[in-house]
Amino acid sequence: MLGNFTYCNPTKLYFGKDALEGLNKELPKYGKNVLLVYGGGSIKKNGIYDKVLSILKENGKEVFEDAGVMPNPTADKLREGVARARAAKADLILAVGGGSVCDYSKAVSVSVYCDDDPWDKYFKRFEEVTCKIVPVGCVLTMVGTGSEMNGGSVITNTEEKFKGGRVFDENVYPKFSVLNPEYTFTVPRYQMISGIFDIMSHILEQYFSGEDDNTSDYLAEGLLRSLIRSAETAAENPTDYEARSNIMWTATWALNTLIAKGKTEDWEVHMIGHAVSAYTNATHGMTLAAVSLPYYRHIMPYGLSKFARYAVNVWGVNAEGKTERAVAEEGLNKMEKWMKKIGLVMNITELGATPEMLDGIVSATVINKSGYKVLTAEEVKGILTASL
Ligand code: NZQ
Ligand code: ZN
C-alpha cells in the first residue's frame, strides 16, 4: 500500500545537446550579480567555462567567481563561499560542475543571509532555513548524485572527521538545471564509474525497504535495468551518447524523491560510505561500492523476499525450482559480477582505509532506524571488516 505523501519538484530541466541555451531563458529572471561557482578547473580545460561566461556576459550579468570547490566540499570552504556570495551581493548562484559544486552552492544559498555558522546550523543542529535564500541554478558536468534536482547537500568537516548530509526542502532545490550529456564525456573514467554506482546505490537505498506491492518499486526496477545496460556500454565506450544520456537521466530520477514516494527508505549504505569518506576522503560512489555487498549480504535474510524479487526482476535470475534464498543470493552474485566488470572498487582498503581506522569509522557512522535491519555498532564493524 502506498503511504500518504506530498510531491513537489520545482526544478526546471533543460536536457540535451542544446541544453545550455536554456540559460538565455533563465538568466533574465534574476538580478545582475551572478556568483559563478566551480571546482578545480575541469570546466576551463573542456571549454564549458568559456561557453557559460559568454552567455552570462551576453545577458548583461556582472560575474563574480568562487572557484576551487573540492570533491567532498569542506565546512571551511563553505564559510569562504558564504563570504564571497555576500561580497558579490549575489542575485543568483550558478553552479557549474558535479554534485560537490551543486551541493556546496545550495549550502551557500541558505547561509548568505544568516548570521549563524552554516555547519553548526544546518549540518549539526539540522535547523530549518529561516532566512532569505539566494536562488541556485546548475550546469551539470558530472553525473551521479541527483543534486541537480533535489535538496541534498553534503558537507565534510575535516576537523570533526564527519561528513554530514542534509536534505533541504523544495525552496532550496535548483531553480533550473542544464543537463547536456556531452559535458560528461571528459569526466575521468574512475569518476564516471563511481557516479554510475552512486546512481545504483540511490535506487537501492529506496528499493530495499518495505514489502509492499508499490509503484515506486516498479519504477526503481526499470531505472536499474536501464542503468545496468547503459553502464556496460559506457564502460566500453565512454562517448556513446545514447548510454551517457540514459545514465544522466536515470541519475536525475534516481534521487529527485519520486521513487521514494509512499514508501520507507534505508540509506545505511550511504551512512557507512560517508564515514569511510570522512576518514579517507575517497570518491563518494566508490565508498558505496566497497561496502554495498557486505551490507546487502548481511541484511538479506531480513528482507529475503525483496532480495529474491530484485534477483528476478532486475538481474533476470530464473527462480524455477530454487529456494527464495538461493534466488536472492544469485541476484547479489550477478550484481557483484557486473560491478567487477565495469571496474568498481570492491574494498575499502583500496580507498585508503586501514584496520586501525575501523573504530573511528564505526563511530562516524550514523545508524538509521530504517531498512530491513537496524544495525548495531558491532554489525557496522563486521560489515566494514568484510569490506577491507
Ligand atoms: O573539480 P573539477 O576540476 O571540476 O573536477 C571534478 C572532480 O574532481 C571532476 N569533474 C566533474 N565534471 C567533469 C570533471 N572532470 C572532467 N570533466 C568533467 N565534465 O570530477 C570530480 C568529482 O566531482 P564531484 O562533484 O565531487 O562528484 P560527484 O558529482 O560525484 O559529487 C560528489 C559529492 O556529492 C555528494 C557526495 O557525498 C560528494 O560530496 N552527494 C550528494 C547528494 C545529493 N545532493 O543528493 C547525494 C549523494 O549520495 C552524495 O552524497
Ligand atoms: Zn550517493
Side-chain angles (χ1 to χ4, degrees):
M1 187 192 77
L2 280 170
N4 301 341
F5 61 84
T6 306
Y7 181 66
C8 171
N9 195 315
T11 304
K12 187 166 186 174
L13 299 177
Y14 294 89
F15 191 97
K17 294 181 183 186
D18 300 327
L20 196 63
E21 286 170 20
L23 279 186
N24 289 314
K25 295 205 180 85
E26 295 302 320
L27 292 175
K29 297 178 187 169
Y30 304 95
K32 195 173 166 60
N33 298 338
V34 176
L35 185 70
L36 177 62
V37 180
Y38 56 98
S42 68
I43 64 164
K44 289 203 167 160
K45 287 195 202 107
N46 59 24
I48 297 171
Y49 173 88
D50 289 339
K51 288 183 190 147
V52 169
L53 200 65
S54 79
I55 296 179
L56 285 167
K57 295 283 178 202
E58 279 160 28
N59 281 273
K61 300 297 178 185
E62 181 92 31
V63 181
F64 301 82
E65 297 204 7
D66 181 7
V69 178
M70 60 293 277
N72 306 323
T74 63
D76 285 342
K77 177 66 187 164
L78 169 59
R79 294 180 188 114
E80 183 196 310
V82 172
R84 281 177 188 272
R86 281 180 188 154
K89 295 192 171 50
D91 298 306
L92 172 72
I93 298 175
L94 187 62
V96 185
S100 293
V101 172
C102 294
D103 281 16
Y104 167 90
S105 297
K106 289 177 218 168
V108 171
S109 78
V110 293
S111 308
V112 178
Y113 290 97
C114 159
D115 293 331
D116 288 325
D117 179 72
W119 169 261
D120 289 345
K121 179 175 169 72
Y122 295 120
F123 297 90
K124 238 176 151 172
R125 298 199 300 269
F126 285 93
E127 287 177 20
E128 293 304 319
V129 183
T130 46
C131 56
K132 181 180 154 186
I133 302 165
V134 182
V136 172
C138 174
V139 177
L140 196 69
T141 66
M142 148 92 204
V143 166
T145 64
S147 190
E148 66 275 14
M149 203 185 191
N150 70 32
S153 178
V154 182
I155 300 293
T156 298
N157 188 313
T158 45
E159 289 94 66
E160 295 180 19
K161 279 203 182 314
F162 190 72
K163 184 169 182 177
R166 175 71 203 253
V167 181
F168 292 109
D169 71 15
E170 56 268 14
N171 295 318
V172 187
Y173 285 33
K175 300 290 175 230
F176 61 88
S177 283
V178 169
L179 308 180
N180 180 343
E182 284 182 337
Y183 288 0
T184 68
F185 284 179
T186 55
V187 170
R189 188 191 167 78
Y190 186 87
Q191 294 289 346
M192 175 186 81
I193 301 291
S194 171
I196 286 169
F197 194 78
D198 194 20
I199 304 166
M200 174 169 273
S201 182
H202 294 160
I203 303 171
L204 296 182
E205 297 272 30
Q206 296 163 92
Y207 182 77
F208 284 127
S209 189
E211 283 294 336
D212 300 334
D213 187 27
N214 183 318
T215 299
S216 297
D217 286 336
Y218 290 92
L219 291 171
E221 287 164 354
L223 291 173
L224 285 166
R225 285 164 63 178
S226 168
L227 179 69
I228 290 162
R229 195 181 152 84
S230 299
E232 287 176 4
T233 307
E236 290 272 313
N237 179 11
T239 56
D240 184 299
Y241 184 84
E242 185 174 53
R244 295 303 286 274
S245 57
N246 280 326
I247 293 168
M248 191 171 220
W249 195 218
T250 303
T252 304
W253 285 95
L255 197 51
N256 69 0
T257 78
L258 179 79
I259 64 167
K261 290 302 167 201
K263 70 188 298 285
T264 59
E265 305 166 58
D266 183 0
W267 295 102
E268 198 55 46
V269 168
H270 271 65
M271 296 304 100
I272 302 173
H274 282 182
V276 170
S277 186
Y279 273 73
T280 60
N281 197 26
T283 302
H284 173 64
M286 291 305 187
T287 65
L288 309 174
V291 303
S292 277
L293 284 167
Y295 174 71
Y296 286 129
R297 287 189 168 121
H298 182 76
I299 66 160
M300 191 186 78
Y302 305 94
L304 196 55
S305 58
K306 192 62 167 287
F307 279 90
R309 172 180 163 168
Y310 172 64
V312 173
N313 290 357
V314 176
W315 294 101
V317 171
N318 179 357
E320 230 177 272
K322 295 172 193 159
T323 64
E324 205 170 44
R325 192 180 175 100
V327 173
E329 279 170 357
E330 203 176 319
L332 290 181
N333 291 343
K334 283 200 163 194
M335 176 177 164
E336 181 171 10
K337 208 168 151 200
W338 174 84
M339 289 172 73
K340 288 180 175 161
K341 185 176 168 194
I342 66 167
L344 285 156
V345 174
M346 304 299 284
N347 63 75
I348 58 173
T349 307
E350 211 178 302
L351 299 175
T354 61
E356 294 72 40
M357 285 180 190
L358 291 196
D359 287 334
I361 298 175
V362 172
S363 60
T365 301
V366 175
I367 295 178
N368 286 336
K369 300 225 171 333
S370 57
Y372 292 125
K373 170 81 176 73
V374 177
L375 300 181
T376 62
E378 290 71 41
E379 287 177 303
V380 174
K381 187 155 182 192
I383 288 158
L384 286 165
T385 306
S387 309
L388 275 170

